[in-house]
Amino acid sequence: MLDLGQSAPAHRNDALHIVFQRGKLIMDMQSRQPCVLTDSDLSQNGWQVAREKYIGHWAGQACFAVEIDDIVDVDAMRYQVGNLYHLLGRVEDSLFALAGRAAQLLDWERDHRFCGRCGEPMQAADGDRAMGCGACKTMLYPRISPCVIVLITRGEEMLLARNARFPRPMYSSLAGFIEAGESAEDTLRREVREEVGVEVGEIEYFGSQSWPFPNQLMLGYFAEYASGDVTPDLDEIAEANWYHPQDLPPVPPPSSIAGQLIQYHCRRSQSR
């Protein structure tokens, strides 16, 4: 439903908005699309827009990411102020992606107000999604950090791990950032070896997901176990073990690509 092919309108009148305050997302608890607010919502609440970025067209309407003034009061009886995690599982994937895009664009503009090469102020480029430096002509585009996420399988069993930084017991597939000069497949094998001490054989690409925490592109894979004993590194991975589809621990929701990998493997195992 998000159309990136249309240019930004001349004004925000009658547009849709993804609204943030102090980096927190404002959600209408009375709406079926809680993160999408209208132009009248802004005016009726007296919210003054401090920054805005055009996102694209959503359901045929122009949509902006906006940040309102810090001193503005938000009605706690109607609006929830939180983060993108509050949307997981509550809205459809396309709407979550819209909110994630909004957050990433505002963060990118905030973090690139000055040129990292010469220190001069940056300005939004005309006709392009970029921040440009008038002094040294450096152009900076929204940052995307590619990551791999892999579900290792051994027959019907799958290797699931608990991250040492997870706030609650949750077991998921392994993931890691792609380093400079690496392919996605190189990263996959390295991360698996470093985090749980095993080697993998055949690799199968599954799909990708934009993951705005803060700016990741997750590349999902299946990998067949080849050799080695499961040995968590205890730095990033607190615990890892093999699990059967009929005896799973708490796992991520299907709104995440980790949850999708696990569900797909479970369905595939049942059909064999």
Side-chain angles (χ1 to χ4, degrees):
M1 295 178 67
L2 177 60
D3 182 2
L4 302 180
Q6 299 190 52
S7 58
H11 53 74
R12 286 191 293 101
N13 295 347
D14 300 321
L16 301 175
H17 305 87
I18 311 295
V19 182
F20 297 84
Q21 185 184 53
R22 302 184 189 94
K24 298 292 187 179
L25 178 65
I26 297 178
M27 294 163 280
D28 184 353
M29 294 184 289
Q30 300 177 10
S31 172
R32 296 180 62 184
Q33 297 188 121
C35 60
V36 179
L37 305 182
T38 66
D39 197 52
S40 61
D41 289 325
L42 269 66
S43 59
Q44 289 173 8
N45 285 288
W47 295 343
Q48 299 298 315
V49 174
R51 292 193 299 134
E52 64 179 58
K53 294 297 291 184
Y54 171 66
I55 306 173
H57 274 62
W58 174 260
Q61 288 182 265
C63 189
F64 287 80
V66 301
E67 184 175 58
I68 61 175
D69 285 339
D70 291 353
I71 61 173
V72 172
D73 291 328
V74 176
D75 182 3
M77 297 299 293
R78 177 169 179 178
Y79 298 101
Q80 178 182 6
V81 181
N83 57 43
L84 292 170
Y85 279 110
H86 289 108
L87 290 178
L88 278 174
R90 293 179 55 187
V91 300
E92 59 188 33
D93 291 348
S94 57
L95 186 55
F96 177 76
L98 176 74
R101 176 174 169 81
Q104 290 178 77
L105 291 179
L106 286 178
D107 287 349
W108 161 68
E109 182 186 60
R110 180 202 61 206
D111 294 343
H112 292 89
R113 292 178 296 167
F114 298 95
C115 179
R117 179 172 294 176
C118 72
E120 290 296 310
M122 303 282 280
Q123 300 291 332
D126 292 332
D128 202 358
R129 181 72 73 184
M131 297 291 285
C133 177
C136 69
K137 308 306 179 185
T138 295
M139 296 288 285
L140 296 175
Y141 294 84
R143 177 182 175 184
I144 302 297
S145 300
C147 305
V148 296
I149 183 164
V150 54
L151 184 64
I152 304 169
T153 61
R154 187 176 65 180
E156 292 189 349
E157 292 181 311
M158 64 194 89
L159 182 60
L160 300 177
R162 179 171 64 85
N163 192 293
R165 293 186 291 272
F166 277 1
R168 62 182 187 274
M170 176 80 68
Y171 293 77
S172 185
S173 43
L174 301 174
F177 287 97
I178 297 176
E179 299 285 353
E182 278 190 321
S183 68
E185 293 76 14
D186 289 340
T187 300
L188 186 156
R189 297 182 186 279
R190 174 181 57 78
E191 286 287 343
V192 169
R193 187 181 304 116
E194 291 176 354
E195 292 188 352
V196 293
V198 304
E199 301 293 333
V200 297
E202 291 295 320
I203 294 173
E204 176 189 357
Y205 178 71
F206 173 74
S208 64
Q209 182 182 37
S210 175
W211 193 242
F213 302 106
N215 47 33
Q216 295 155 241
L217 176 63
M218 307 300 293
L219 306 175
Y221 290 86
F222 291 105
E224 293 182 1
Y225 168 79
S227 63
D229 296 326
V230 176
T231 308
D233 68 357
L234 300 182
D235 180 21
E236 293 189 36
I237 305 300
E239 182 183 359
N241 213 331
W242 295 102
Y243 292 92
H244 191 274
Q246 296 180 359
D247 188 27
L248 290 178
V251 296
S255 51
S256 69
I257 193 167
Q260 293 165 22
L261 283 164
I262 294 168
Q263 286 200 352
Y264 185 87
H265 178 69
C266 291
R267 292 195 300 268
R268 184 163 60 178
S269 297
Q270 291 174 355
S271 64
R272 287 173 177 168

